[in-house]
Amino acid sequence: MTFRYEGAAEDTIDIADLTLEAGLSVAVVGATGAGKSTLVKLLARFYRPASGTIRLDGVDIGHYDLAGYRQRIGIVPQEAHLFEGDIAENIRYGRPDASDAEVTAAARAVGATAAIARLPGGFRHAVRQAGGNLSASERQLVALARVALVEPDVLLLDEATAMLDSGTEAAVLDGMFRAARDKTALLVAHRLTTAARCDRVLVMDAGKPVEYGTHDELLARQGAYARLWESARPQAPSRQEVGSGV
Ligand SMILES: Nc1ncnc2c1ncn2[C@@H]1O[C@H](COP(=O)(O)OP(=O)(O)OP(=O)(O)O)[C@@H](O)[C@H]1O
Ligand SMILES: [Mg+2]
């Protein structure tokens, strides 16, 4: 399967053959620009492959009815999009008929309750355009609750830790793992400590999958993944630096 953005000189994604097992969490790691977010967008059908196919349960995802497909896939992008309305309305996005109790349960399921309770008005807190009056982690938590409410079969999560302060990052990560529990989940992990918590790790390099296996297998292989760990190792005994680099 290949994909290329318009005007790009080379394929942005070039995957000859790759099968991910159902029911597992897979971390996608790799340098910035490796194609991690693009891969997520292809799986979400935001883009169409230029060649080849992506199959879910053996069926080309392009053959599923789009609305039905979107019900099966839950995506939390690197920058979650919120709209004007209150927190509850934003969570309800994928299931407008959901009750208040269901909305609250979805927020609880991803560990967002405390963060929402801190907002003036809680679930009734007014979200301004694009969620500009919320912090990045609050937006991510709302987006996670949104996905939890729909209960999709497949979760696509782009971690986006660059925007998060370390204090609230842990809440978002926990929310991601809670949402991913017992699901087929692809987590773009910008921190290798996140990857280490997943069942499998997929290493992308310049649009190509270069390694796939468990964290332990890939470390033992002493290849690309092991090198990523090596380069992310702290040079100084400062916890701050570990936090921002790993
Ligand atoms: N909308 C776009 N139009 C053109 N090129 C794009 C677009 N989005 C991404 N690219 C390019 O495609 C390549 C892969 O980008 P992508 O965002 O998938 O990388 P990534 O692995 O998610 O990086 P990061 O870790 O920084 O999030 C990069 O070279 C990027 O510049
Ligand atoms: Mg990205």
Side-chain angles (χ1 to χ4, degrees):
M1 183 264 294
T2 63
F3 172 78
R4 183 183 303 206
Y5 285 109
E6 234 173 73
E10 288 172 25
D11 286 339
T12 311
I13 296 288
D14 180 1
I15 300 178
D17 185 27
L18 178 69
T19 303
L20 307 179
E21 298 109 304
L24 298 185
S25 57
V26 180
V28 186
V29 305
T32 186
K36 304 179 296 292
S37 297
T38 305
L39 179 61
V40 163
K41 288 171 188 168
L42 282 160
L43 294 172
R45 274 178 70 176
F46 291 178
Y47 304 122
R48 217 186 280 260
S51 71
T53 51
I54 302 170
R55 288 188 291 273
L56 175 66
D57 295 338
V59 177
D60 182 344
I61 61 170
H63 291 166
Y64 286 101
D65 152 70
L66 187 59
Y69 185 70
R70 294 257 157 92
Q71 288 293 311
R72 295 195 60 187
I73 300 285
I75 178 168
V76 178
Q78 206 162 350
E79 285 172 51
H81 184 78
L82 269 56
F83 52 83
E84 272 180 277
D86 64 23
I87 296 283
E89 284 165 347
N90 268 279
I91 293 175
R92 225 178 239 119
Y93 175 77
R95 265 187 61 200
D97 60 329
S99 68
D100 284 349
E102 287 171 319
V103 168
T104 311
R108 196 180 314 118
V110 299
T113 315
I116 293 170
R118 277 194 295 273
L119 298 169
F123 282 93
R124 298 278 159 263
H125 181 72
V127 178
R128 284 208 292 273
Q129 200 175 28
N133 59 330
L134 298 180
S135 72
S137 67
E138 286 161 355
R139 286 197 296 273
Q140 284 305 98
L141 287 172
V142 168
L144 283 164
R146 193 185 258 176
V147 159
L149 182 65
V150 176
E151 294 194 34
D153 301 331
V154 179
L155 275 170
L156 305 172
L157 308 167
D158 213 336
E159 187 184 354
T161 48
M163 305 145 71
L164 305 182
D165 63 81
S166 57
T168 44
E169 183 200 19
V172 172
L173 280 183
D174 285 346
M176 272 176 51
F177 278 97
R178 286 194 204 194
R181 192 159 44 206
D182 305 326
K183 306 252 182 214
T184 304
L186 210 75
L187 284 81
V188 176
H190 293 93
R191 289 175 192 243
L192 298 181
T193 45
T194 308
R197 290 174 65 177
C198 291
D199 299 316
R200 298 284 185 277
V201 178
L202 170 66
V203 184
M204 296 292 294
D205 182 24
K208 292 189 173 65
V210 290
E211 287 180 356
Y212 177 68
T214 67
H215 166 81
D216 290 338
E217 282 167 7
L218 296 193
L219 273 190
R221 188 179 295 182
Q222 303 196 341
Y225 186 66
R227 281 194 297 278
L228 284 173
W229 267 92
E230 193 61 31
S231 64
R233 252 218 320 235
Q235 303 300 314
S238 155
R239 298 293 299 166
Q240 283 323 103
E241 281 184 28
V242 179
S244 62
V246 179

